Amino acid sequence: MSSLKLISPVDGSVYAEREVMATESAAAAVERSRKAQKDWARRPLQERTSLVQAGVARLNEMKDEVVPELAWMMGRPVRYGGEFGGVNERTEYMAGIAPRALAPIEIENSAQFERRIARDPHGVVFVIAPWNYPYMTAINTVVPALIAGNTVVLKHATQTLLVGERMVRAFHEAGIPEDVFINLFLDHQGTEALISAGSFNFINFTGSVGGGKAIERAAAGTFTGLGLELGGKDPGYVMEDADLDWAVDVLMDGAMFNAGQCCCGIERLYVARPLYEAFVEKAAAWVSSGLKLGNPLDPETTIGPMANVRFAKEVRAQISEALEQGARGLIDPSQYPADDGGAYLMPQVLVDVNHDMRVMRDESFGPVVGIMPVDSDEEALSLMNDCAFGLTASLWTNDVTRAAKIGDGIETGTVFMNRADYLDPALCWTGCKATGRGGSLSEIGFHNLTRPKSYHLRKKSA
């Protein structure tokens, strides 16, 4: 039997290993989850909600184990304390809106007719979670799916192999029945076999474009609902009336936090020409003076290794190609001696870039950002849309009307003004183009995890 090996980016060691489940065993576990779903859905909404909240509370109690575990698995520095802020915010918001979001839409309740549209759970929801924010991305679907009356099957990325196991343990210890929330250790072949067999009623996947295509192919003909959050190449546009220091601080943090491994991280910047030189100078200073690359277990480290050597290799390739094509790197490698040519990768700010360079087109998912000057809103809009992806865009101005007008033209899932790299649980998290389809969180997230069921009840003849 083959196994899944988690190679730690900290030192290249095997941090964890789990045996791959046989497809037959995994299918049997999913079937138990299916049988448990009806009883779970019959429980009162408030009971389901309270149990889910208790599961998240139990997970919070494991913080002292979770934080260093994350550092070992995917390299995030311990100083940031894990992902509990986002996990808790999203859980509480979704729990709070559940009664409204899942309430029937009443069309008529008269002496003659009762007409309404109810929300029924899909059944078994399969969550395939990524490694970059392994708890928050999973919570986006796990929490509302369970609250809505679905059972959940979770498969985590090998790079964060222990997260699904820990989440399920926390929820079970809080009182959620074992078959209502299960974790599976699967390889790609086993995952695709279960999907193509129609084992699930809804699938949510966060990951690469290639992974999303593989899931669509596996699901073809099963009529299984899909939610896909795939790649991103999120832009920022700084207008001439922007608060310069504020823009630099937020955008550079959005580009570099988590070693740039954020779904909605800032990967390319367009700055109005009057502010361009000052912005570039401040951006380079922000990186040079504000970041310390090193072991993520060191509390002084602000940027740890990338999660895997192959991820860092791709970012290095994009930077190297850009430099060969005429770009300039503003960050001196001598400032980052911890860059070892492997998973530990120094941050870089590039200027003299253009859209012929992969670093301005392809997803980097690392600590690099390219900056270009622009001379008009029209030019900025054209450049922001010159991309295969569409997750978020960050606009910097004091003019709300102007930002909204530009936002109307951006091919993206979320438009930010004077903000970046944040997921608001009250708003639908969604994307377009190669970023995928569907949407999580908000009331729409609940709607995507349920199906409409219409009731047309005639009480007496006319």
Side-chain angles (χ1 to χ4, degrees):
M1 184 65 68
S2 61
S3 64
L4 302 168
K5 291 184 180 181
L6 191 173
I7 307 300
S8 174
V10 175
D11 59 6
S13 65
V14 177
Y15 182 68
E17 186 172 1
R18 293 292 185 271
E19 190 174 283
V20 174
M21 293 182 71
T23 303
E24 298 78 13
S25 299
V30 175
E31 185 57 30
R32 290 194 299 272
S33 180
R34 183 171 302 284
K35 290 179 179 177
Q37 188 268 326
K38 296 297 184 185
D39 285 340
W40 175 248
R42 277 192 286 267
R43 295 196 186 200
L45 173 60
Q46 186 54 56
E47 181 182 341
R48 295 195 305 266
T49 302
S50 295
L51 282 169
V52 169
Q53 290 174 303
V56 173
R58 178 70 187 99
L59 186 63
N60 274 257
E61 293 171 359
M62 300 176 178
K63 182 176 182 178
D64 290 345
E65 300 167 64
V66 167
V67 172
E69 194 171 77
L70 279 172
W72 278 105
M73 289 191 295
M74 50 74 64
R76 184 179 306 122
V78 295
R79 68 180 289 136
Y80 298 117
E83 302 169 24
F84 291 98
V87 165
N88 296 337
E89 179 186 28
R90 297 172 194 187
T91 298
E92 291 310 303
Y93 184 81
M94 296 305 284
I97 68 169
R100 179 177 77 246
L102 296 172
I105 300 171
E106 188 174 285
I107 308 301
E108 179 182 359
N109 191 2
S110 66
Q112 191 169 357
F113 288 104
E114 181 182 337
R115 294 185 295 145
R116 55 188 163 85
I117 305 168
R119 307 296 320 182
D120 266 19
H122 286 304
V124 181
V125 172
F126 188 30
V127 178
I128 307 174
W131 50 264
N132 65 318
Y133 281 92
Y135 285 99
M136 286 198 291
T137 51
I139 282 293
N140 290 352
T141 304
V142 169
V143 162
L146 289 173
I147 289 175
N150 300 284
T151 52
V152 173
V153 176
L154 176 61
K155 177 211 168 299
H156 234 291
T158 302
Q159 194 64 52
T160 42
L161 194 61
L162 304 180
V163 172
E165 190 175 67
R166 183 175 289 282
M167 285 182 67
V168 164
R169 191 182 105 203
F171 279 53
H172 290 170
E173 290 177 0
I176 288 182
E178 287 191 8
D179 290 335
V180 167
F181 185 24
I182 64 175
N183 177 65
L184 299 181
F185 294 112
L186 298 169
D187 57 15
H188 293 320
Q189 183 178 355
T191 300
E192 291 176 16
L194 289 176
I195 293 172
S196 62
S199 302
F200 309 105
N201 302 104
F202 187 84
I203 300 167
N204 182 270
F205 171 75
T206 305
S208 69
V209 173
K213 289 180 178 179
I215 288 167
E216 283 199 324
R217 286 193 296 268
T222 66
F223 307 114
T224 305
L226 298 177
L228 303 172
E229 187 206 318
L230 310 176
K233 190 71 180 174
D234 290 3
Y237 172 33
V238 181
M239 296 168 229
E240 69 281 353
D241 68 333
D243 182 320
L244 182 61
D245 290 334
W246 189 20
V248 168
D249 187 51
V250 173
L251 290 169
M252 296 314 295
D253 182 65
M256 302 298 168
F257 188 77
N258 204 38
Q261 300 167 126
C262 302
C263 299
C264 56
I266 295 295
E267 297 208 358
R268 52 200 175 105
L269 289 169
Y270 309 101
V271 181
R273 197 172 294 276
L275 288 186
Y276 176 74
E277 293 295 339
F279 185 95
V280 165
E281 181 180 349
K282 288 176 179 289
W286 192 99
V287 172
S288 296
S289 63
L291 296 178
K292 179 184 177 183
L293 175 66
N295 190 313
L297 297 164
D298 180 351
E300 298 300 313
T301 294
T302 58
I303 182 170
M306 295 193 68
N308 192 289
V309 172
R310 64 186 174 90
F311 305 149
K313 184 178 180 180
E314 167 62 13
V315 180
R316 285 192 175 92
Q318 290 188 21
I319 293 171
S320 177
E321 290 169 20
L323 294 175
E324 290 173 1
Q325 292 174 278
R328 288 188 297 120
L330 301 183
I331 309 304
D332 187 340
S334 67
Q335 295 179 279
Y336 287 93
D339 186 324
D340 63 354
Y344 289 84
L345 172 64
M346 64 168 280
Q348 186 56 275
V349 177
L350 298 174
V351 294
D352 298 337
V353 291
N354 59 60
H355 278 222
D356 292 331
M357 301 173 181
R358 284 205 306 129
V359 77
M360 295 299 284
R361 295 192 324 270
D362 294 354
E363 185 173 39
S364 301
F365 221 61
V368 60
V369 65
I371 310 176
M372 291 176 62
V374 293
D375 292 305
S376 67
D377 291 348
E378 291 74 22
E379 183 184 6
L381 181 60
S382 176
L383 289 167
M384 284 189 282
N385 284 340
D386 183 26
C387 178
F389 303 104
L391 185 56
T392 79
S394 178
L395 305 179
W396 288 80
T397 176
N398 289 315
D399 188 336
V400 175
T401 302
R402 181 181 179 188
K405 181 180 178 181
I406 295 169
D408 287 344
I410 304 175
E411 296 160 354
T412 190
T414 296
V415 176
F416 290 114
M417 173 179 153
N418 299 334
R419 194 160 203 182
D421 191 26
Y422 172 69
L423 196 159
D424 182 344
L427 300 176
C428 184
W429 190 242
T430 186
C432 62
K433 301 195 284 190
T435 291
R437 58 190 170 98
S440 61
L441 299 175
S442 75
E443 291 193 30
I444 292 171
F446 270 121
H447 292 176
N448 287 336
L449 290 166
T450 54
R451 65 178 182 86
K453 185 175 184 179
S454 295
Y455 288 81
H456 190 135
L457 308 178
R458 190 172 188 174
K459 299 178 181 179
K460 62 181 182 179
S461 61

